[in-house]
Amino acid sequence: MAILEMLRGKIHRATVTDANLNYEGSVSIDPKLYKAAGLKLNQKVDIVNVNNGQRLSTYIINGKDGEICLNGAAARKAEIGDKVIIIGYHTMEETEADGYSPLLVMVDENNKRINS
């Protein structure tokens, strides 16, 4: 049986609120957002910058309300105000993938969830 890497959840078109070059690394995300997307603290995520096409992988740390902050080297990949897509994955057996639906979190310009 094949094991597939599938989309677990994503936060779509979030606004970068800060970029902190002097932090050790990671992305700070409002816990309400990453939990709604089915993601976990310290989980590896991919970040796609809609404004400049940059992609990177990092891990989640707790942020403040509405916060999306790229830390460490990731801070070089985005500017405050850029739109990003934050994507988390998980693995499952191929038979589980049929009919599977990931969790999609849509946000407004202030990173407040707009879908239920």
Side-chain angles (χ1 to χ4, degrees):
M1 188 60 54
I3 300 294
L4 303 175
E5 188 171 17
M6 302 288 290
L7 173 65
R8 176 167 179 82
K10 75 175 181 173
I11 304 167
H12 192 72
R13 295 184 61 88
T15 302
V16 174
T17 59
D18 198 6
N20 184 351
L21 184 61
N22 295 313
Y23 191 80
E24 65 187 47
S26 66
V27 59
S28 304
I29 303 175
D30 177 342
K32 291 186 299 295
L33 296 178
Y34 73 73
K35 289 175 183 178
L39 306 177
K40 303 287 187 189
L41 186 66
N42 299 310
Q43 182 177 351
K44 179 182 177 183
V45 291
D46 288 341
I47 300 176
V48 181
N49 187 320
V50 175
N51 292 74
N52 64 23
Q54 294 283 324
R55 299 179 71 96
L56 66 112
S57 294
T58 190
Y59 60 93
I60 297 170
I61 64 171
N62 282 324
K64 300 176 208 126
D65 187 44
E67 182 177 45
I68 303 292
C69 176
L70 297 176
N71 298 298
R76 298 266 190 214
K77 301 283 189 177
E79 295 182 22
I80 295 170
D82 282 359
K83 297 292 185 186
V84 295
I85 302 168
I86 301 168
I87 307 163
Y89 305 92
H90 68 156
T91 58
M92 65 176 61
E93 291 188 15
E94 186 174 10
T95 56
E96 294 176 273
D98 294 332
Y100 170 75
S101 295
L103 297 170
L104 307 177
V105 175
M106 310 297 279
V107 296
D108 66 14
E109 63 278 352
N110 297 308
N111 294 329
K112 301 299 180 204
R113 188 171 180 188
I114 57 175
N115 67 325
S116 53

